[in-house]
């Protein structure tokens, strides 16, 4: 039997314990192991590693003794419990014999708990930089990223991240090794592969501790680049940009895996070329004009008449396919009480079905070739980076009608005034005065007499219409529809127009907002249903159900709302009424899709207001974490913190309709508002500054 007692050197130092090969079936796991909390690499992964390269570290064991101190031939394992369990798993899977010899260091003196504690306390974890460099060394020796990932049980993405970290400037890596730089800062430097630029940015941010933040580092490294999620980058595409010689700065540590297009001039050129190509393809359809731009302001179609068009009919095969998709969608959604409970695979399929159904709903629209020669198209890029084509707009100067309808339904040729004798024999060319004896009794009436008679008729018609609310409702709706859908048409006797002036203030993302898209969709739906000839509008409205008339009136009325507060045009009465409307419709700007971003709000107010917003939504600790940042970076971090909180700035919150007793309701543009005006006047003055 091997002597298990420790030997001592004459100098007083103990000699290292001997190593013995002990059959695995003679080993048992000790309960004296101090490691109780599980973590780190899984037992299965460790077993695979042992199977591949063998046991790299021996087990520390102690003999199991009888009550009288004799050895039983069995050994307990207080040090190396995870390795023991990995070996045990290999034995269970018959990948290792039960009697396989296991190298063990045998201890006899002291406590087993002391052995276990000493091993874990005196162990020093590998510095992350050493791991980065080790991965790089394996890559230099010919191993692929996938091979390295498989051998160390991580994903290829993790390997790429480690390799990118190892590729940072050697000077910055030494600073990280010495503890002068945090890992988050080092990760931010991987955005750019330019070592000189990395060192330049470090020299800049390290001068002040409040500048040493990952967001600041990324911004400085990419300040001349365009984000990969920008609509211009999406429109061109990473592949086309790279094929043209452009380089992309990748951030492997961001959640979305995004990056930056470094060559802004190249990207702008590719955008212009792709837009022009799309415009020429549309022009070939036969339109009079095509305008192409990156974006058009909201309301750019104001004053233009839009052609209704006619949707292309679906084929029988397409109708059957749409019916099958709708049935499948209903079956999938009906199996789950809440949409949020959908499994990933079901949710993916639902998305595919909805996208396919959307294609059916947005199928091509057919226009009259004759009208196309007088109309045009706007071509731009939407927020998702897709081509946006708006067809069928006629400018007032191009909207020349060859024939117009008179009151009897007859046509009048161009050049014949409707009030000339040739066009209408009841209207005289001049006022001949009183009739002389012997004149023709069929001579036209004078202009003055006709005016007087129709004045009486107008008053009578007003009084009668006032007693017929249903007809009055129809008449108002008829007039508003002409204003909304048939600009320039004068086929109504009511002097009512629905003025929808273009918004003079164009906020960030206004045209692509959820509200703008919903309004456009509603307008398009109604425009497709209304008759092309204004003369047939009245009969169409008469044929609508009451609910449809109300919905159409609501749409027409909604287009006339103006709640914009402009510093050069104060209208407190108008704004107070807008507040009343907001209350009446339970307006919720968060639900409407508005969110505080650097473009919409945070980048355009003071740092104090940014911190106040974060403090209101996330608390004092969240505000304290960003108060040292520069304003640009503070705005970006605040946008991330406020996302999903529902926080709104003062002008967008539900208004308080309690009006002070001494407020002057008659104040308007010519009468300055009373000093006790509603709360919005305070931030109005600030906006004016």
């Amino acid at each position: 039997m091997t002597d298990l007692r420790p030997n001592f050197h004459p100098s007083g130092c103990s000699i290292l314990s001997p190593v013995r090969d002990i059959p695995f079936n003679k080993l048992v796991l000790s309960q004296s192991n101090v490691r109780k909390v599980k973590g780190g690499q899984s037992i299965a992964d460790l077993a695979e590693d042992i199977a591949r390269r063998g046991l790299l570290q021996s087990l520390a064991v102690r003999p199991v003794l009888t009550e009288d101190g004799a050895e039983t031939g069995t050994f307990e394992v207080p040090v190396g419990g995870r390795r023991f369990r990995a070996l045990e798993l290999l034995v269970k899977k018959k990948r290792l014999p039960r009697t396989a010899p296991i190298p063990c260091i045998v201890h006899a003196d002291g406590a087993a708990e002391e052995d276990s504690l000493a091993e874990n306390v005196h162990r020093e974890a590998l510095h992350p930089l050493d791991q980065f460099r080790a991965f790089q060394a394996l890559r230099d020796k010919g191993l692929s990223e996938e091979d390295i990932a498989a051998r160390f049980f991580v994903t290829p993405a993790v390997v790429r991240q480690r390799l990118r970290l190892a590729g940072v400037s050697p000077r910055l890596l030494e600073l990280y090794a010495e503890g002068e730089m945090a890992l988050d800062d080092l990760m931010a430097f991987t955005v750019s592969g330019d070592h000189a630029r990395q060192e330049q940015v470090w020299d800049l941010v390290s001068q002040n501790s409040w500048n040493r933040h990952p967001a600041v580092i990324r911004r400085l490294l990419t300040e001349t680049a365009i984000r990969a999620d920008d609509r211009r980058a999406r429109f061109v595409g990473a592949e086309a940009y790279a094929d043209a010689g452009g380089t992309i700065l990748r951030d492997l540590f961001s959640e979305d895996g995004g990056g930056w297009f470094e060559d802004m001039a190249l990207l702008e050129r590719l955008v212009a070329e792709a837009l022009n190509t799309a415009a020429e393809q549309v022009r070939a359809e036969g339109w009079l004009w095509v305008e192409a731009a990156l974006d058009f302001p909201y309301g750019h179609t104001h004053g233009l008449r839009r052609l209704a068009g006619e949707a292309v009919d679906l084929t029988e095969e397409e109708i059957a396919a749409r019916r099958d998709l709708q049935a499948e969608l209903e079956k999938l959604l009906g199996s789950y009480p809440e949409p949020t409970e959908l499994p990933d695979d079901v949710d993916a399929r639902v998305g595919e079905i909805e996208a396919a159904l959307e294609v059916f709903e947005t199928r091509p629209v057919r226009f009259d070739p004759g009208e196309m020669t007088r109309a045009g198209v706007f071509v731009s890029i939407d927020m998702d980076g897709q081509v946006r084509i708006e067809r069928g707009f006629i400018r007032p100067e191009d909207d020349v009608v060859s024939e117009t309808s008179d009151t009897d339904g007859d046509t009048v040729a161009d050049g014949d005034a409707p009030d000339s004798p040739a066009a209408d024999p009841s209207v005289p060319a001049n006022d001949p005065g009183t009739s002389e004896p012997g004149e023709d009794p069929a001579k036209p009436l004078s202009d003055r007499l006709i005016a007087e008679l129709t004045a009486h008729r107008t008053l009578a018609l007003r009084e009668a219409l006032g007693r017929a609310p249903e007809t009055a409702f129809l008449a108002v709706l008829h007039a508003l529809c002409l204003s909304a859908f048939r600009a320039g048409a004068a086929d109504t006797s009511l002097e009512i127009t629905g003025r929808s002036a273009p918004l003079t203030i164009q906020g960030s993302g206004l045209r692509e907002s959820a509200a703008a898209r919903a309004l456009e969709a509603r307008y398009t739906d109604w425009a497709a249903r209304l008759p092309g000839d204004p003369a047939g509008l009245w009969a169409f409205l008469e044929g609508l159900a009451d609910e449809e008339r109300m919905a159409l009136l609501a749409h027409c009325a909604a287009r006339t709302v103006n709640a914009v507060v402009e510093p050069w045009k104060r209208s407190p009465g108008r704004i107070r009424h807008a507040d009343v409307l907001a209350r009446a419709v339970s307006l919720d700007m968060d639900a409407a899709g508005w969110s505080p971003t650097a473009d919409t709000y945070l980048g355009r107010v003071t740092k104090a207001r940014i911190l106040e917003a974060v403090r209101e939504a996330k608390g004092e600790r969240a505000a304290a974490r960003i108060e040292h940042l520069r304003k640009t970076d503070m705005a970006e971090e605040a946008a991330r913190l406020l996302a999903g909180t529902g926080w709104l700035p003062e002008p967008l919150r539900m208004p308080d309709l309690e009006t002070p007793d001494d407020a002057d309701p008659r104040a308007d543009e010519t009468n300055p508002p009373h000093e006790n005006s509603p709360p919005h006047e305070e931030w109005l003055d600030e906006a004016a500054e």
Side-chain angles (χ1 to χ4, degrees):
M1 180 178 292
T2 303
D3 186 2
L4 300 178
R5 293 174 298 174
N7 298 321
F8 290 90
H9 193 271
S11 64
C13 298
S14 62
I15 299 175
L16 297 178
S17 301
V19 177
R20 293 172 51 185
D21 286 340
I22 301 175
F24 178 78
N25 60 352
K26 297 296 183 181
L27 301 176
V28 294
L29 188 63
S30 173
Q31 298 302 313
S32 300
N33 194 311
V34 299
R35 186 187 293 274
K36 306 298 182 182
V37 180
K38 297 180 180 180
Q41 186 182 23
S42 71
I43 299 299
D45 290 347
L46 181 57
E48 289 295 329
D49 188 72
I50 293 174
R52 177 185 293 115
R53 69 183 85 252
L55 190 64
L56 299 179
Q57 185 177 358
S58 302
L59 303 181
V61 302
R62 286 177 173 271
V64 178
L65 307 176
T66 61
E67 293 182 357
D68 57 1
E71 292 189 12
T72 62
T74 301
F75 297 83
E76 64 175 356
V77 183
V79 177
R82 296 183 67 254
R83 277 164 278 155
F84 174 83
R85 287 192 290 270
L87 292 168
E88 185 180 43
L89 180 60
L90 292 175
V91 170
K92 288 181 179 179
K93 292 184 176 181
K94 301 186 182 304
R95 300 175 66 182
L96 184 72
R98 293 183 57 83
T99 58
I102 307 300
C104 300
I105 300 174
V106 183
H107 289 182
D109 295 336
E113 289 83 358
E114 182 180 355
D115 293 347
S116 177
L117 182 62
E119 187 205 36
N120 289 285
V121 169
H122 297 309
R123 176 189 300 170
E124 184 174 352
L126 185 69
H127 192 282
L129 182 57
D130 291 330
Q131 183 190 120
F132 307 157
R133 287 170 170 167
F135 276 14
Q136 183 63 56
L138 292 174
R139 178 61 187 271
D140 293 342
K141 290 182 178 180
L143 290 181
S144 67
E145 296 170 355
E146 289 72 17
D147 291 336
I148 299 173
R151 296 190 180 196
F152 292 94
F153 307 101
V154 295
T155 65
V158 170
V159 176
R160 284 191 288 271
Q161 290 176 341
R162 302 297 185 265
L163 293 175
R164 182 69 67 84
L165 287 166
V168 174
S169 163
R171 175 191 164 197
L172 300 188
L173 291 179
E174 291 304 319
L175 290 172
Y176 170 60
E178 296 169 3
E180 297 294 325
M181 180 190 302
L183 179 59
D184 285 345
D185 296 339
L186 185 67
M187 291 163 57
F189 279 106
T190 64
V191 168
S192 172
D194 186 342
H195 288 181
R197 180 57 179 162
Q198 290 175 351
E199 295 174 5
Q200 183 182 25
V201 169
W202 171 254
D203 293 337
L204 180 63
V205 301
S206 61
Q207 295 176 4
N208 298 304
S209 59
W210 56 83
N211 274 343
R212 195 183 305 178
H213 190 279
V216 178
I217 296 171
R218 287 188 176 91
R219 179 178 59 80
L220 292 175
L221 289 172
T222 61
E223 57 187 355
T224 60
I226 296 177
R227 285 192 61 87
D229 60 2
D230 185 277
R231 60 177 164 180
R232 291 168 292 180
R234 292 184 178 184
F235 177 59
V236 172
E239 184 176 352
Y241 171 76
D243 291 343
T247 56
I248 301 178
L249 305 177
R250 294 290 187 184
D251 185 1
L252 298 183
F253 298 93
S254 65
E255 294 182 0
D256 58 0
W260 292 263
F261 284 38
E262 192 172 23
D263 194 335
M264 185 181 301
L266 173 62
L267 180 61
E268 294 287 0
R269 177 174 64 81
L270 294 176
V271 168
E273 292 175 355
L275 265 179
N276 289 335
T277 299
E280 289 305 316
Q281 292 174 349
V282 174
R283 191 187 305 275
E285 297 175 3
W287 301 98
L288 175 63
W289 52 266
V290 176
E291 288 190 13
L294 177 65
D295 192 18
F296 293 100
Y298 178 76
H300 65 288
T301 60
H302 178 73
L304 306 182
R305 182 167 71 87
R306 187 169 191 177
L307 302 178
E310 180 182 357
V312 177
D313 295 333
L314 296 175
T315 64
E316 294 183 1
E317 292 78 7
E318 290 173 331
I319 294 175
R322 182 174 65 173
R323 183 171 57 249
D324 293 342
L325 288 172
Q326 290 173 336
E328 182 182 357
L329 181 62
E330 293 175 0
K331 182 179 179 181
L332 289 174
L333 296 179
S335 303
Y336 299 91
E338 296 293 337
T340 55
E341 300 177 359
L342 296 178
D344 292 341
D345 57 338
V346 176
D347 186 55
R349 178 54 183 162
V350 168
E352 294 174 357
I353 295 175
E354 290 177 342
L357 291 175
E358 180 68 17
V359 173
F360 287 114
E361 298 302 324
T362 58
R363 60 189 183 278
V365 177
R366 180 170 51 243
F367 294 92
D368 183 351
E371 290 186 318
M372 290 174 62
T373 59
R374 296 187 289 122
V377 182
F378 295 99
V379 179
S380 58
I381 306 174
D382 64 18
M383 296 302 292
D384 294 328
Q386 302 297 319
V387 177
R388 179 173 182 171
I389 302 176
E390 301 171 277
R391 293 178 172 85
F393 290 92
I394 299 181
R395 295 166 173 165
E397 60 269 25
D398 300 323
D399 200 6
V400 180
V401 182
S402 59
E403 294 184 345
T404 59
S405 300
D406 64 5
T407 56
D408 296 327
D410 298 328
T411 58
V412 180
D414 290 341
D416 290 337
D419 56 351
S420 66
D424 188 349
S426 65
V427 180
N430 50 52
D431 187 357
T434 58
S435 299
E436 295 294 336
E439 288 186 347
D440 184 1
K443 186 175 183 177
L445 300 177
S446 67
D447 292 342
R448 176 60 181 269
L449 180 56
I450 291 176
E452 290 180 0
L453 294 175
T454 53
H456 285 280
R457 182 174 184 268
T458 298
L459 281 180
L461 186 56
R462 288 179 179 179
E463 194 280 330
L465 189 62
R467 290 184 282 102
E470 292 185 359
T471 304
F473 175 92
L474 196 61
V476 171
L477 177 57
H478 177 264
L480 290 178
C481 284
L482 289 173
S483 299
F485 299 96
R486 300 291 181 262
D491 296 57
T492 177
S493 61
L494 273 63
E495 294 185 342
I496 294 177
T497 57
R499 182 175 179 270
S500 180
L503 300 180
T504 56
I505 304 298
Q506 292 289 329
S508 175
L510 187 65
R511 184 170 177 240
E512 296 292 338
S513 66
R517 291 197 298 269
L519 279 171
E520 177 67 18
R522 192 182 301 133
Y523 177 93
T524 302
D525 291 343
W526 277 114
R529 293 184 60 187
L530 295 179
D533 185 1
L537 179 60
W538 182 269
F540 172 81
L541 296 178
E542 283 185 315
L544 290 178
D546 291 342
E547 295 80 3
E548 291 181 305
R549 290 180 190 169
M550 293 293 291
L552 181 55
L553 178 66
H555 172 73
C556 294
R559 295 181 71 256
T560 69
V561 172
N562 183 6
V564 178
V565 177
E566 300 167 319
W568 59 85
K569 184 180 180 182
R570 302 194 178 200
S571 305
R574 173 172 58 84
I575 301 304
R576 275 196 295 271
H577 180 254
D579 292 345
V580 173
L581 283 180
R583 278 284 183 186
V585 299
S586 301
L587 182 64
D588 184 346
M589 290 301 298
D590 178 58
W594 189 92
S595 60
T597 65
D599 291 334
T600 60
Y601 179 77
L602 298 169
R604 304 167 65 183
V605 297
T606 63
K607 293 177 67 175
R609 284 194 177 273
I610 297 176
L611 293 174
E612 179 185 10
V614 174
R615 194 175 294 113
E616 289 180 2
K618 303 290 288 187
E620 185 64 42
R621 293 182 61 183
R625 288 199 297 268
I626 66 171
E627 63 182 354
H628 66 284
L629 298 178
R630 296 175 61 180
K631 180 179 176 181
T632 302
D633 305 303
M634 181 186 290
E636 293 180 358
E637 288 298 302
R640 182 181 62 82
L641 291 171
L642 294 176
T645 64
W647 182 88
L648 297 171
E650 180 75 19
L652 299 185
R653 297 176 185 176
M654 183 61 74
D656 182 3
L657 297 184
E658 294 182 2
T659 305
D661 294 337
D662 54 350
D664 184 2
R666 297 169 299 176
D668 54 19
E669 292 86 342
T670 58
N671 296 295
H674 195 276
E675 62 181 0
N676 290 328
S677 296
H680 66 263
E681 292 295 322
E682 298 176 3
W683 54 262
L684 171 62
D685 295 336
E686 180 179 326
E689 295 175 1

